[in-house]
Amino acid sequence: MPKIKLNGKEVEVAPGKTVLQACVDNGAFVPHYCWHPGLSPAGNCRMCLVKVSNSRKLEASCMYPCSDNLEVTTEGPEVAKGRQDVLEFMLINHPLDCPICDKAGECDLQDYTYAYRGGVSRFRDKKVIKHTKDLGPNVRIWGSRCIACTRCVRFCEEVAGTGELCLVNRGDHSVVDVFPTIPIDNPVSLNVVDLCPVGALIDRNFLYQARVWFARETESVCASCARGCNVKITALDNRIKRMVPRVNADVNTWWMCDEGRLNTRYLADDRRLTASKGSARDLDAAARKGNFGIVLSTYQTIEEMWLVKRLAEAWKAPVGFLTLTRGERKKFGGLVIEPDKTPNRRFAEKLFGELKPVPAGCKGLFVLNGIPELEGPPELMAAANGAEFLAVSDLRKGPLVEKAQVVLPACAWAEKDGTFMNVDGRVQRIRKAIEPPAAVRAEVAWLQEALGTEPLSAEGVFLQAAKEVPALAGLDYGKLGNQGAASNGH
Amino acid sequence: MTNYNIGSLFKGMFRTFQHLVGKKATLEYPEEKYIPRKGYRGEHRLKKDEQGRMKCVACFMCATACPAECIRIVAGPSPWPDRDKIPVSFEIDLLKCIYCGMCEEACPCDAIELTPTFTQIATTREEKIYDLQKLMNR
């Protein structure tokens, strides 16, 4: 293990690591654009210059290997001057359109310019204007803003494996582009927008939607497949504007898929169910008459499933399941897109054993369907037609809701607190990012009303469940934190 | 000896006499029109360029600088090739506004301006929320 001296402090580094990696691991700040922990180093932005004892000039730390007794200095006037000069070159062709650039406020070039440059340009020539165009259905490029760090190009080659993007032209004319007739249209294409350290690549769905400093970010988990990628939800005026991945080495590494990212439109759907009919107490009264069945979707949270299980025991009702499977398992680097398009199937299996189909021939039926794209599959419709009493909780209006005697509108996953268990058995928290429509209550509230127990928050219900469900033993919201925790017995 | 302060007394009498014959400070409003001083901060307006288009590029700098949070902008893509972004809607709630002029100072395009108009007549709260058309046609 080579030992290096980092800013005068001796640290041990794993063999084969670069100086930048050692700096990042030991908390020494080194600005960088082209280096990304999930991609191969390229060494072309030159922003990560540091002073090393082996060399008379400053070295790009992302490509410099750690050798024994190497002395590394990441601060000081010489290093600052080096970074300043690199920035000056970058800003030669970078337009001053921060006020209308969507990246402003979270832009690395803006931050480092603010930190290292005096704010005066010595460049007196004409700037090179490059193309502004759509590279694909979701990605748009402002070429003039591009600093040619090639993060996006490397992502398409190394992680997506499709290689749509390339760097065209030479010198200060070089810019990212696609080949004619081949747009960037892979299932993980929007990660290039997060990777872009400047505002060159922009998400077309987020374009001009919000200035990031006005928006509120909530750490949550994506509900669009069983993987449960860790995300940050950006919301403004009670609307979800975008979702970006959070780093979680055990779940999604740095990436997430486009489908999950864009699957938020149903939250503001015109057909959103907002009015309730009857109450949870009516449901309980009807269920106690006997011959009652429950249909539960695997989109519900752990807390809700556990409450439903207690209801099922009280009512002696069989529980059938609604699930959704589409496509096949796809792997992109550290990211896996699951065919199971519901977030909590794993916990349903742990709690109820093998998932049974919709119970047929029941006199009364209670349907808890939180799957946004599922509206009454045929077997459910048949069971509902045969039932005398029907209670439905759903996100959107549909044929099932029209038939129901009791309607309890559902909260979408971004509108409530709770937990999901992902395909690997990892329990992760979802947090309320936006308010549900007025008069829509969280499921845990009215499920406890139906049970007739003391109303607890989602956290309280989880603590109760953790006492009785072996898979959750010893867990609480504090232990889950923002990265989740592996469930017991996994 | 008693000090009568004769000097100060005459000075005061002179000032009183001066105001008696000098220019009157009272304005017979509304018969007489009040002309505010230069730089008076009244109602806002959005400026137009030479072609009559709005100058605003919806950068939200005014909304960011506004201490009263009375500016509400919705941005959209521009139909003109010389710019990327324009406001689809631009609303200023003059009931919230404190007329500090920070929006004018923050604007990078010199698009928003506080005019000397200080009279505002409105019978409802909605009328005091000025929209894009109203702000442009001032």
Side-chain angles (χ1 to χ4, degrees):
Chain A
M1 294 262 268
K3 270 188 188 150
I4 65 164
K5 218 173 191 185
L6 181 58
N7 291 335
K9 212 175 78 187
E10 203 153 278
V11 292
E12 216 165 304
V13 189
K17 288 244 167 137
T18 58
V19 171
L20 180 55
Q21 188 72 58
C23 290
V24 169
D25 292 348
N26 291 291
F29 173 71
V30 177
H32 54 263
Y33 296 116
C34 69
W35 183 81
H36 187 276
L39 302 171
S40 63
N44 58 18
C45 76
R46 315 310 289 176
M47 192 61 200
C48 61
L49 293 177
V50 293
K51 199 167 153 51
V52 288
S53 55
N54 285 1
S55 170
R56 280 169 62 200
K57 63 182 184 71
L58 297 172
E59 291 289 348
S61 57
C62 67
M63 297 292 272
Y64 206 82
C66 284
S67 54
D68 227 358
N69 300 325
L70 187 74
E71 277 173 41
V72 180
T73 317
T74 63
E75 298 298 329
E78 197 185 338
V79 179
K81 179 76 172 49
R83 290 170 186 169
Q84 231 177 56
D85 293 348
V86 169
L87 269 173
E88 187 165 13
F89 272 121
M90 270 173 199
L91 292 172
I92 279 179
N93 279 316
H94 194 83
L96 260 178
D97 63 351
C98 300
I100 56 153
C101 174
D102 273 342
K103 194 79 177 185
E106 50 182 18
C107 171
D108 286 350
L109 189 61
Q110 208 177 29
D111 292 349
Y112 297 155
T113 304
Y114 192 75
Y116 291 106
R117 288 276 306 152
V120 180
S121 174
R122 287 185 292 169
F123 188 66
R124 294 283 169 269
D125 235 321
K126 265 192 181 159
K127 291 194 177 204
V128 179
I129 309 288
K130 296 164 210 163
H131 58 225
T132 300
K133 64 179 188 182
D134 293 336
L135 295 182
N138 292 321
V139 183
R140 190 163 165 78
I141 188 171
W142 268 261
S144 299
R145 295 177 190 159
C146 180
I147 57 167
C149 72
T150 70
R151 267 189 189 182
C152 51
V153 177
R154 279 174 287 146
F155 175 83
C156 286
E157 277 168 14
E158 294 165 17
V159 181
T162 43
E164 293 106 335
L165 296 181
C166 61
L167 210 61
V168 295
N169 297 336
R170 294 198 299 174
D172 64 354
H173 286 73
S174 64
V175 63
V176 169
D177 202 353
V178 287
F179 296 100
T181 74
I182 309 173
I184 171 164
D185 188 14
N186 59 56
V188 288
S189 66
L190 276 173
N191 286 300
V192 298
V193 175
D194 303 330
L195 281 172
C196 187
V198 294
L201 295 169
I202 295 283
D203 181 355
R204 286 174 70 188
N205 307 285
F206 183 62
L207 184 65
Y208 306 146
Q209 288 295 305
R211 304 304 336 240
V212 288
W213 55 87
F214 289 129
R216 201 159 49 90
E217 285 192 330
T218 313
E219 288 181 339
S220 189
V221 164
C222 176
S224 294
C225 86
R227 174 56 45 190
C229 292
N230 289 210
V231 297
K232 259 191 303 206
I233 300 173
T234 305
L236 183 65
D237 298 337
N238 214 33
R239 287 281 177 100
I240 293 185
K241 295 293 183 186
R242 67 167 180 191
M243 290 209 289
V244 289
R246 278 188 291 135
V247 184
N248 190 333
D250 296 320
V251 181
N252 57 320
T253 60
W254 299 271
W255 328 116
M256 76 178 284
C257 72
D258 292 3
E259 194 187 327
R261 224 184 261 257
L262 302 177
N263 190 16
T264 57
R265 299 211 173 114
Y266 65 88
L267 284 139
D269 198 322
D270 296 337
R271 286 171 56 226
R272 195 63 204 276
L273 195 56
T274 51
S276 57
K277 194 162 101 184
S279 73
R281 298 304 304 163
D282 299 341
L283 164 66
D284 184 49
R288 284 183 192 283
K289 286 177 191 155
N291 196 7
F292 202 76
I294 300 176
V295 180
L296 181 64
S297 80
T298 46
Y299 231 83
Q300 306 314 130
T301 62
I302 285 177
E303 291 80 0
E304 289 153 17
M305 281 189 182
W306 187 68
L307 289 171
V308 168
K309 186 169 188 216
R310 281 173 65 191
L311 277 176
E313 281 162 4
W315 299 342
K316 296 184 185 59
V319 183
F321 283 90
L322 293 176
T323 57
L324 185 70
T325 316
R326 177 164 25 86
E328 54 197 36
R329 202 160 187 268
K330 284 182 215 144
K331 198 167 184 307
F332 297 96
L335 174 74
V336 180
I337 303 172
E338 300 292 337
D340 176 8
K341 296 295 172 200
T342 58
N344 209 14
R345 188 190 177 122
R346 176 87 181 193
F347 183 72
E349 283 166 355
K350 290 219 169 183
L351 195 63
F352 294 94
E354 202 185 324
L355 302 189
K356 295 191 184 73
V358 176
C362 288
K363 258 169 79 182
L365 203 63
F366 171 40
V367 184
L368 211 81
N369 177 21
I371 305 178
E373 48 215 291
L374 196 69
E375 283 179 23
E379 70 275 14
L380 178 62
M381 291 310 287
N385 283 334
E388 285 167 21
F389 176 85
L390 184 64
V392 176
S393 167
D394 207 340
L395 285 165
R396 282 190 280 201
K397 290 173 195 152
L400 213 57
V401 172
E402 276 161 30
K403 262 201 249 312
Q405 281 87 356
V406 171
V407 178
L408 298 156
C411 278
W413 108 108
E415 294 166 351
K416 62 189 173 192
D417 287 308
T419 44
F420 287 140
M421 186 184 278
N422 88 342
V423 69
D424 294 333
R426 193 181 184 81
V427 183
Q428 306 189 97
R429 275 196 68 187
I430 55 166
R431 288 178 180 83
K432 189 180 192 172
I434 57 171
E435 290 295 325
V440 176
R441 293 164 67 207
E443 280 92 334
V444 283
W446 53 258
L447 281 172
Q448 287 179 98
E449 205 174 287
L451 263 173
T453 55
E454 186 109 342
L456 294 172
S457 65
E459 187 172 3
V461 176
F462 186 85
L463 276 176
Q464 276 191 349
K467 276 186 203 139
E468 295 185 20
V469 183
L472 304 177
L475 293 179
D476 59 51
Y477 275 15
K479 284 205 184 100
L480 296 182
N482 61 3
Q483 297 271 298
S487 65
N488 210 14
H490 167 64
Chain B
M1 274 258 322
T2 322
N3 185 1
Y4 290 103
N5 275 337
I6 298 289
S8 304
L9 192 70
F10 276 106
K11 219 172 171 179
M13 290 288 283
F14 172 71
R15 189 64 72 210
T16 311
F17 189 74
Q18 208 180 22
H19 281 298
L20 209 64
V21 295
K23 201 183 160 221
K24 273 179 199 146
T26 315
L27 194 70
E28 293 295 331
Y29 189 81
E31 283 78 28
E32 267 179 273
K33 203 168 163 50
Y34 171 61
I35 296 152
R37 63 176 166 78
K38 205 165 171 266
Y40 180 89
R41 303 191 299 266
E43 263 179 31
H44 311 69
R45 79 184 184 98
L46 286 176
K47 292 192 204 167
K48 295 174 193 170
D49 63 5
E50 309 80 53
Q51 297 175 44
R53 308 175 302 182
M54 62 185 104
K55 266 183 160 183
C56 176
V57 295
C59 71
F60 289 68
M61 290 303 127
C62 50
T64 306
C66 182
E69 296 181 6
C70 66
I71 304 178
R72 209 186 139 77
I73 309 169
V74 178
S78 146
W80 310 305
D82 60 340
R83 64 191 80 169
D84 288 337
K85 196 178 178 187
I86 56 158
V88 178
S89 103
F90 194 113
E91 283 174 358
I92 299 182
D93 188 344
L94 291 179
L95 289 168
K96 283 187 191 166
C97 180
I98 58 167
Y99 301 95
C100 64
M102 294 290 263
C103 49
E104 188 176 343
E105 209 163 307
C107 185
C109 291
D110 195 21
I112 193 165
E113 185 183 52
L114 268 65
T115 61
T117 314
F118 61 92
T119 48
Q120 294 169 8
I121 302 105
T123 50
T124 59
R125 283 175 178 273
E126 285 70 36
E127 279 175 58
K128 294 283 273 187
I129 300 171
Y130 283 22
D131 64 3
L132 188 60
Q133 279 313 310
K134 207 166 175 184
L135 288 164
M136 290 257 290
N137 297 333
R138 298 202 76 74

